[in-house]
Amino acid sequence: MLEIELKFPVADLAALKRRLLDLGAKPSDAIDEIDHYFNAPDRNYAITDEALRIREHAFRGANGDTVITYKGPKLDTQAKTRTEIELPLEGGIERWTDLLTRLGYRPVATVRKHRQPLTLAWAGFVVQTVLDDVANVGTFAELEIVAEEKQRAPATQAIQKLARDLGLEKSERRSYLEMLLATQGREKLSTPLVVNTGADLRHAIASYRHQGQRIGFVPTMGALHEGHASLIRVAARDNECVVVSIFVNPTQFGPNEDFQCYPRTLETDLKSCAQAGAQLVFVPSVEEIYPAGPQTFVEVKELQELWDGISRPGHFRGVATVVAKLFNMVQPDVAYFGQKDAQQARIIQQMVQDLAFPITIRVCPIIREPDGLALSSRNRYLSHEDRQKATVLNHAIQRAQEMFTAGERDASKIRDGMAEVIRAVPGAALEYADLVDAQTLQRVDTVTVGNQVLIAVRIGGTRLIDNAFL
Ligand code: AMP
């Protein structure tokens, strides 16, 4: 059986009720309904156009029955034709919510409405009419015929004719849930789905891909800040589905580096992902990414040996390998990286080209604090005093820009100028400050427009990097 249903906004419910009674409609008892909506662990119902609802009925103040309903995707564009499975539930909403959340379902919202049903014989069909007063949404009339599939066309016509006769227009295709979420200023079911395994990730992404939607991917190590959020926002602008990975990748940390104490702030990270517009957050364990001693690695030979590769041996091999693996798991159309990690971005571009990944790489601008310090998850390691000193990276870059603008083209002079700025700050230890070709990252002797300034400085125990194009 099919449920063919049209819904219209109504200015005056009482007037519409009188008109229906005039047509011979039979009213039955008014009902209060509380609808609890859930979203699935393996796909996003907002995208697949499905719904899972537990409905509590109350009849004239008494407790009523509770039913669970699954609704399939709508099958046509005018009437809300869709498959529906409805079963009675016992045990109370709290216990069912507990069970469903343990299974990975997420409560989305609760819609409360007061409903006045009327039954009308019309054009050979029985039309169930419901006049709805929906809390925080508005007043509506729903007209519904339950019909065999073969009667779909005449039933749809009958319902449309009745609507015209009742002066109802501008049918509303959105569910009360969607309207409620819209009034709350939330995107449809915008809480991102969090998955921990590659299998769940593939499953969740499949529902987007089936619908021909573009997948954008933002790989991160978490401890998210505005720099990460800017990547997610750009990805959300360009793609229907944005996947963010949060994985502190052990293979890109050296033995004496900060893997153990790297900040892990999953709860606030998930909020940032939701606010920035991510649909899926992949949070794998180390075992999920590296199940048994891996023997295959990705090395971007020349680029990985330069700059950060010197003080962090093996770092870029770890980065390239994990990003290649994540690319295979997510299979995005576009992946987003920050210019903040210039050498990393260049290495990923080279890897994608060399290994023919069918993925577009977008490198997004550096997001900075008002005083010029580039945002970084590691900035939180800085003491108050060191935080003040950390602006020295940006000051050194500014010195380079000023010298270049003033006509200096000798790279060694600009390099010396930057070193002088760093030396002036006690406790700031220069690792490198240099001028490079943006493609090869090789040091240049004579500087031209489009060359890049790269800089790495240790302040206290914290290593900070920054860069800019001349
Ligand atoms: P991470 O979590 O440090 O691995 O960084 C994840 C992504 O965010 C990388 O592509 C970084 O380049 C990017 N990112 C980090 N900080 C910034 C920033 N301040 N501005 C723009 N992108 C950034």
Side-chain angles (χ1 to χ4, degrees):
M1 295 295 268
L2 290 167
E3 176 192 289
I4 301 165
E5 183 183 295
L6 280 178
K7 176 164 64 202
F8 299 88
V10 178
D12 186 345
L13 279 185
L16 181 62
K17 185 176 175 187
R18 282 196 298 277
R19 177 92 178 90
L20 281 163
L21 293 173
D22 287 349
L23 287 172
K26 299 274 176 292
S28 33
D29 289 343
I31 316 162
D32 285 294
E33 285 178 353
I34 307 177
D35 292 341
H36 307 267
Y37 286 92
F38 295 85
N39 204 347
D42 59 345
R43 56 193 189 269
N44 189 343
Y45 288 159
I47 302 292
T48 59
D49 196 22
E50 297 165 285
L52 181 68
R53 176 187 77 196
I54 296 180
R55 170 170 287 175
E56 297 179 279
H57 292 104
F59 304 98
R60 290 203 211 117
N63 284 337
D65 51 352
T66 301
V67 291
I68 187 162
T69 307
Y70 163 81
K71 294 190 183 205
K74 297 184 192 81
L75 300 174
D76 74 22
T77 51
Q78 284 212 332
K80 284 174 49 181
T81 315
R82 66 200 316 192
T83 306
E84 189 166 313
I85 301 169
E86 192 156 276
L87 296 164
L89 270 195
E90 288 188 2
I93 181 68
E94 286 80 15
R95 293 184 64 202
W96 279 100
T97 303
D98 187 26
L99 174 69
L100 288 173
T101 34
R102 281 170 198 274
L103 293 174
Y105 287 78
R106 292 161 293 143
V108 171
T110 300
V111 178
R112 293 164 201 277
K113 56 186 179 295
H114 180 76
R115 320 196 78 181
Q116 171 61 67
L118 300 103
T119 308
L120 177 68
W122 175 264
F125 291 98
V126 175
V127 183
Q128 296 297 341
T129 308
V130 190
L131 309 182
D132 283 334
D133 186 349
V134 188
N136 302 318
V137 177
T139 46
F140 298 85
E142 275 188 1
L143 311 178
E144 179 185 307
I145 294 176
V146 177
E148 301 276 350
E149 172 68 48
K150 61 179 186 291
Q151 285 200 298
R152 177 199 292 238
T156 305
Q157 282 161 13
I159 237 172
Q160 286 169 340
K161 166 97 172 47
L162 175 60
R164 277 198 301 277
D165 287 6
L166 292 171
L168 298 172
E169 45 188 31
K170 297 209 178 90
S171 82
E172 173 63 71
R173 220 176 109 76
R174 289 178 304 168
S175 66
Y176 292 135
L177 172 64
E178 286 168 319
M179 285 187 261
L180 179 69
L181 293 179
T183 63
Q184 291 173 348
R186 285 159 51 179
E187 286 285 297
K188 294 201 295 178
L189 309 179
S190 67
T191 317
L193 184 62
V194 180
V195 290
N196 304 112
T197 66
D200 286 350
L201 177 72
R202 257 192 307 283
H203 207 85
I205 291 176
S207 70
Y208 291 90
R209 207 177 290 291
H210 278 323
Q211 300 177 62
Q213 299 189 321
R214 272 164 312 183
I215 315 292
F217 178 40
V218 183
T220 81
M221 297 208 299
L224 301 187
H225 49 65
E226 257 312 291
H228 300 106
S230 72
L231 303 185
I232 301 171
R233 278 196 294 270
V234 174
R237 202 189 56 203
D238 296 348
N239 302 273
E240 287 83 6
C241 171
V242 176
V243 183
V244 177
S245 64
I246 297 180
F247 179 59
V248 185
N249 173 35
T251 65
Q252 69 188 70
F253 288 80
N256 300 316
E257 290 187 351
D258 55 345
F259 173 68
Q260 292 302 340
C261 63
Y262 194 85
R264 288 160 172 89
T265 58
L266 185 59
E267 213 165 299
T268 48
D269 288 353
L270 294 180
K271 287 195 189 120
S272 308
C273 289
Q275 276 167 3
Q279 276 72 37
L280 273 170
V281 185
F282 180 40
V283 191
S285 64
V286 172
E287 296 71 36
E288 183 69 22
I289 297 294
Y290 301 112
Q295 302 188 27
T296 310
F297 300 92
V298 180
E299 299 201 19
V300 181
K301 272 296 183 190
E302 284 176 23
L303 290 169
Q304 73 177 10
E305 310 298 348
L306 304 164
W307 311 113
D308 291 350
I310 297 168
S311 58
R312 306 186 70 188
H315 169 68
F316 287 118
R317 169 172 129 143
V319 169
T321 302
V322 81
V323 171
K325 188 147 187 175
L326 290 168
F327 279 180
N328 281 333
M329 296 174 101
V330 176
Q331 301 188 5
D333 298 289
V334 190
Y336 296 81
F337 291 84
Q339 180 59 39
K340 160 75 171 39
D341 298 284
Q343 189 175 3
Q344 168 176 289
R346 184 62 202 91
I347 283 174
I348 300 301
Q349 283 172 325
Q350 189 67 40
M351 175 187 85
V352 162
Q353 182 184 317
D354 292 347
L355 298 183
F357 278 102
I359 298 172
T360 304
I361 302 298
R362 292 243 180 287
V363 182
C364 303
I366 302 177
I367 305 298
R368 299 176 178 280
E369 299 281 8
D371 65 5
L373 175 66
L375 296 192
S376 162
S377 305
R378 290 190 169 96
N379 289 354
R380 67 185 76 197
Y381 296 154
L382 296 167
S383 67
H384 178 70
E385 201 183 322
D386 288 345
R387 169 64 188 81
Q388 312 300 317
K389 294 178 183 172
T391 54
V392 71
L393 283 87
N394 192 240
H395 291 157
I397 290 175
Q398 277 172 17
R399 168 71 68 89
Q401 297 279 23
E402 282 159 17
M403 291 175 76
F404 182 70
T405 308
E408 184 58 74
R409 294 293 179 267
D410 183 341
S412 66
K413 293 218 171 99
I414 298 180
R415 206 160 40 235
D416 290 347
M418 289 196 284
E420 190 182 85
V421 174
I422 309 288
R423 265 200 310 275
V425 175
L430 177 62
E431 196 173 286
Y432 61 78
D434 222 316
L435 296 124
V436 302
D437 177 276
Q439 279 298 304
T440 62
L441 302 188
Q442 297 286 346
R443 177 186 263 187
V444 292
D445 295 327
T446 307
V447 184
T448 59
V449 174
N451 283 161
Q452 233 171 334
V453 184
L454 300 182
I455 181 164
V457 176
R458 264 179 205 284
I459 296 179
T462 308
R463 185 174 180 280
L464 300 174
I465 56 172
D466 202 344
N467 68 91
F469 288 96
L470 285 176

